[in-house]
Amino acid sequence: MAKGKDARVTVILECASCVRNGVSKESTGISRYITQKNRHNTPSRLELRKFCPYCYKHTIHGEIKK
């Protein structure tokens, strides 16, 4: 029998400092990661510290809408 909505969903994490500062001329884009989260265990937006190749350091990456 089908169970309705899946618990695991795919989310996109985007660098918060790149978005906040805007994209400068020297950087070529905004760092994004794709991951999965369990909707039942983590109902709020996901935030993880990941490496941003455009900022050259570990920054907070937050979940964005698709």
Side-chain angles (χ1 to χ4, degrees):
M1 293 177 50
K3 287 198 174 188
K5 292 188 175 181
D6 292 331
R8 288 239 163 236
V9 291
T10 303
V11 295
I12 300 172
L13 302 176
E14 186 175 78
C15 180
S17 63
C18 285
V19 173
R20 193 176 311 123
N21 297 334
V23 180
S24 63
K25 292 180 181 177
E26 56 204 33
S27 67
T28 57
I30 296 173
S31 173
R32 289 189 174 163
Y33 286 92
I34 297 174
T35 187
Q36 291 184 340
K37 76 170 189 176
N38 190 319
R39 196 180 324 190
H40 299 299
N41 294 340
T42 317
S44 60
R45 290 197 176 265
L46 190 62
E47 284 189 343
L48 296 173
R49 277 181 53 94
K50 304 286 276 180
F51 181 77
C52 177
Y54 304 108
C55 299
Y56 300 108
K57 59 185 176 181
H58 283 83
T59 58
I60 299 290
H61 284 65
E63 181 180 338
I64 61 169
K65 291 185 178 180
K66 290 184 182 179

